[in-house]
Amino acid sequence: MTEIHRNKGAAIPVIFVFAIILVIFYYFDHYTGLKLAIAGILVAPVFYIAYLLLSYTGPKKSRLYGLENLTAKLPAIKKPSGHVEFKYKMLWTVLIVLLYFVLTNVYIYGLNTKDTIDVFASFRAIFAGASGSLMDLGIGPIVTASIVMQLFAGAKIFNLDLTNAEDKAIYQGVQKLLVIIMIFVEAIPQAFGFLVPDASLVSNLNAAAPGYGEFLAQSIIVLQLFFGSYLVFLMDEVVSKYGIGSGISLFIAAGVSQQLFTGTFNWVPSTITAPLSVSNPPAGAIPKAIYLFLNSPASLTNTGMEQILFAQPNPMIALVGTLLIFFIVAYFQSSKIELPISHERVRGARGRYPLQLLYASNIPVILATALLANISMWTLLFWSSPVLSKIPILGHNKLLGGYPSATQVTALGISNTTPTSGLAYYLYTPNGLSDWLFPILEPKVSQNVLLGHTPIEEVIHVIVFMAFLVGFSILFAKFWIETTNMGAGAVARQIRSSGMQIPGFRRDPRVMEKVLSKYIPAITIFSGAIVGLLAGGADLIGTVGDTSGTGLLLAVGIVIQFYEAMGREQLMEMHPMIRQFFIGG
């Protein structure tokens, strides 16, 4: 471990800012006694981390090395000492997925589920979470931490060389620390704004600590959210080191697959409390179509076909769109550019280096959608939070994002988390043709769906949403390629170290990098754009099971990648020489 040199004088400004924050808590929100103490305990670690960064003076260039001793103490899953057999990898993978499903059904103690607002309702598919459970935050903090790290690394703020083993290790360690911070950043606003504590718990705590019952109940909810989210992080590490593929990817695929299955085959009535009827058909796309054909003569008319094809929930057009996206993603996933390579010493030993068209995989669209989710959460907080809504400029600002009043919720039949104006409205994810296209074509019939906006404004909404998703998918694709050593330079060094070369060119990494630069940057932009278009397109068409377009795109890609990973693992199991090649590579 690196010997760290520090400038202890950096503690003075850090302590000064920390004291100012506590004074603001005291005067701005009347934090006294126990509340102020707990707030200080929650805020203090952030300032301690700031001190470690600011006080670092060497010997490494990056200040992130100031956190090296701290990140080394974080709980982590140890790497296996040797090769893990395929059957044990499958066992660990299955066990972790089963544990994930169990945790999605373990509900938070002391939570009033009836009055709780699900901030991430439209992003559940990609966050792999379940509202009101220990998995409420899902993979949100992990993805958000990854976004922050990639943006900083892409902007060269960290001063790290990610091809260097030490720099990459400190990058990954700091990312783990940032995950913990992001858990609290997402958990605290939700627990103190939208996750309503149960009245009986508040009453019991008030009896023990008069005046602090609600605050203590909210703090208990935060601790449970932290436990669940950090457990997800450790489960992901278990799958990555002892299982097959990525835990995060498997959790997403598992949740989306469950939604797709129920959305397609659910025979329960759309309104559970009412009996099955033509006006209340089965919720699943296929049972709904069969039931209407068998029990309603009107189903053969234009009105009946419109109900089958377009009416919520789970219209047949959504099932068709789901299948279409599946085949398109499968096609792009299997398409690749193959560069010829040959061995420098063994004549006749030739091969091909594949560059998939979806070179950056689905990661960019996960990050772009997670950014959308964070914008949605914070605009809602700035609009409705008793504390944040009072902040000048940001608080209760319609330009940032306006949300409906209780009267509008009743009149329009929408959720109180649905934005009605500002940036949040234009970045809000459409949910199928009935959410945007039909209201544009028939604005008088669908005034409530447009939330008071004109058809032109709805067109702008769709364009802005698609532009954001595609643009940020391209941006994150470029950052992802550079931070994971998949850029032209890194690939050239990998080919060089394996003893291979591109025929017709000198065996020089710089020459190979120049050749690869003709392909990798272009397919990186293409892959980012295509996953953004596919995810946004699926949202616009609609999918069964209320799965977002991003969730569907991810699930298909993850299942294909998991199948390919299983094939590689079995191949390595059968041939030890191949295993040595993969491990060495």
Side-chain angles (χ1 to χ4, degrees):
M1 193 172 290
T2 309
E3 183 181 353
I4 296 174
H5 305 292
R6 296 196 181 279
N7 174 17
K8 295 183 179 180
I12 297 174
V14 172
I15 294 172
F16 178 73
V17 174
F18 178 67
I20 291 176
I21 294 292
L22 291 183
V23 170
I24 291 173
F25 279 155
Y26 179 79
Y27 284 103
F28 190 65
D29 202 43
H30 307 293
Y31 272 33
T32 57
L34 183 61
K35 285 186 178 182
L36 192 64
I38 293 177
I41 291 170
L42 291 174
V43 174
V46 176
F47 284 90
Y48 176 64
I49 291 169
Y51 164 71
L52 294 180
L53 288 171
L54 294 174
S55 64
Y56 180 77
T57 57
K60 300 289 185 178
K61 291 182 179 180
S62 176
R63 286 188 180 272
L64 290 186
Y65 276 92
L67 302 173
E68 187 176 15
N69 292 337
L70 178 60
T71 56
K73 297 173 183 177
L74 295 176
I77 305 298
K78 290 185 178 180
K79 290 183 179 180
S81 55
H83 172 67
V84 181
E85 294 182 21
F86 177 74
K87 59 182 179 181
Y88 293 116
K89 286 191 173 186
M90 280 299 298
L91 179 63
W92 275 113
T93 303
V94 171
L95 286 176
I96 292 296
V97 172
L98 289 176
L99 179 59
Y100 160 76
F101 277 121
V102 169
L103 290 172
T104 58
N105 289 281
V106 177
Y107 289 91
I108 295 171
Y109 171 74
L111 182 68
N112 181 350
T113 54
K114 291 183 179 179
D115 297 327
T116 287
I117 299 173
D118 187 4
V119 181
F120 295 133
S122 58
F123 300 98
R124 281 290 162 206
I126 66 150
F127 276 3
S131 179
S133 74
L134 290 178
M135 298 288 103
D136 190 90
L137 298 181
I139 63 170
I142 303 173
V143 176
T144 305
S146 178
I147 290 174
V148 173
M149 293 296 289
Q150 286 200 43
L151 288 174
F152 279 23
K156 308 298 181 184
I157 294 174
F158 287 152
N159 200 18
L160 291 174
D161 177 11
L162 295 179
T163 60
N164 179 278
E166 285 188 356
D167 281 7
K168 190 171 183 179
I170 196 65
Y171 176 89
Q172 292 171 341
V174 172
Q175 184 164 320
K176 290 180 183 179
L177 181 61
L178 191 58
V179 167
I180 295 175
I181 295 173
M182 286 302 166
I183 291 173
F184 285 108
V185 167
E186 294 188 9
I188 291 173
Q190 288 206 60
F192 285 81
F194 307 110
L195 300 178
V196 181
D198 187 71
S200 59
L201 176 62
V202 174
S203 177
N204 293 335
L205 291 172
N206 264 326
Y212 294 107
E214 186 174 3
F215 182 82
L216 291 174
Q218 291 167 330
S219 300
I220 290 171
I221 291 174
V222 169
L223 291 176
Q224 291 177 82
L225 289 174
F226 172 78
F227 172 77
S229 294
Y230 200 72
L231 195 57
V232 168
F233 177 70
L234 294 177
M235 287 161 62
D236 172 56
E237 284 202 327
V238 171
V239 174
S240 300
K241 295 175 181 177
Y242 292 89
I244 299 173
S246 159
I248 289 176
S249 297
L250 289 177
F251 302 151
I252 293 173
V256 172
S257 299
Q258 184 182 38
Q259 288 180 304
L260 290 175
F261 184 84
T262 55
T264 304
F265 300 106
N266 188 7
W267 59 86
V268 177
S270 301
T271 304
I272 300 175
T273 54
L276 199 65
S277 65
V278 173
S279 59
N280 187 33
I286 293 177
K288 173 184 173 182
I290 295 173
Y291 182 86
L292 290 175
F293 271 124
L294 295 177
N295 295 278
S296 172
S299 63
L300 300 176
T301 66
N302 289 337
T303 304
M305 291 303 296
E306 184 177 330
Q307 185 180 7
I308 293 172
L309 289 173
F310 304 113
Q312 296 290 349
N314 302 312
M316 191 57 68
I317 191 69
L319 180 59
V320 173
T322 301
L323 294 173
L324 182 64
I325 293 295
F326 176 87
F327 289 115
I328 292 175
V329 174
Y331 170 76
F332 279 111
Q333 196 78 37
S334 59
S335 300
K336 58 191 71 175
I337 298 171
E338 295 183 330
L339 298 179
I341 55 175
S342 61
H343 202 281
E344 61 170 335
R345 296 179 182 175
V346 182
R347 296 186 64 183
R350 292 179 176 270
R352 293 185 179 277
Y353 189 89
L355 298 172
Q356 288 188 331
L357 284 183
L358 296 186
Y359 190 64
S361 188
N362 296 319
I363 299 297
V365 79
I366 295 180
L367 299 176
T369 311
L371 185 58
L372 276 176
N374 278 280
I375 291 173
S376 176
M377 182 185 77
W378 284 104
T379 53
L380 180 57
L381 283 169
F382 281 124
W383 180 264
S384 58
S385 169
V387 177
L388 297 181
S389 62
K390 298 175 184 176
I391 295 177
I393 300 176
L394 297 177
H396 215 72
N397 187 339
K398 285 189 176 182
L399 293 177
L400 190 63
Y403 289 82
S405 62
T407 306
Q408 289 176 308
V409 168
T410 305
L412 300 176
I414 58 175
S415 166
N416 49 11
T417 61
T418 303
T420 56
S421 64
L423 177 66
Y425 165 75
Y426 287 103
L427 294 181
Y428 186 68
T429 305
N431 184 24
L433 299 174
S434 59
D435 206 29
W436 65 279
L437 182 59
F438 297 158
I440 290 174
L441 298 177
E442 299 179 350
K444 293 182 180 179
V445 179
S446 310
Q447 285 180 344
N448 286 356
V449 180
L450 292 177
L451 305 177
H453 292 275
T454 64
I456 295 297
E457 288 174 324
E458 184 61 24
V459 170
I460 296 172
H461 167 209
V462 172
I463 293 172
V464 170
F465 167 74
M466 289 296 294
F468 180 94
L469 204 56
V470 172
F472 274 88
S473 292
I474 292 173
L475 180 66
F476 286 128
K478 296 179 72 174
F479 286 164
W480 178 256
I481 293 306
E482 292 302 321
T483 56
T484 53
N485 293 332
M486 294 172 64
V491 172
R493 288 189 290 272
Q494 290 169 19
I495 295 175
R496 171 73 173 77
S497 63
S498 63
M500 306 297 284
Q501 65 182 40
I502 300 175
F505 294 91
R506 286 187 296 119
R507 191 172 175 271
D508 185 334
R510 290 172 297 181
V511 175
M512 284 192 280
E513 180 180 353
K514 193 173 182 180
V515 174
L516 291 169
S517 294
K518 296 178 181 179
Y519 300 95
I520 290 180
I523 62 173
T524 298
I525 293 173
F526 176 82
S527 66
I530 202 67
V531 294
L533 282 170
L534 286 173
D539 284 323
L540 295 180
I541 296 172
T543 55
V544 292
D546 286 332
T547 305
S548 68
T550 304
L552 173 61
L553 176 70
L554 295 176
V556 175
I558 289 165
V559 170
I560 293 172
Q561 290 169 4
F562 184 74
Y563 176 77
E564 293 174 346
M566 284 180 61
R568 288 194 298 270
E569 292 292 339
Q570 286 181 309
L571 189 64
M572 291 165 64
E573 199 75 19
M574 293 169 61
H575 304 284
M577 291 296 292
I578 294 177
R579 179 167 71 242
Q580 289 298 323
F581 173 78
F582 275 104
I583 294 174

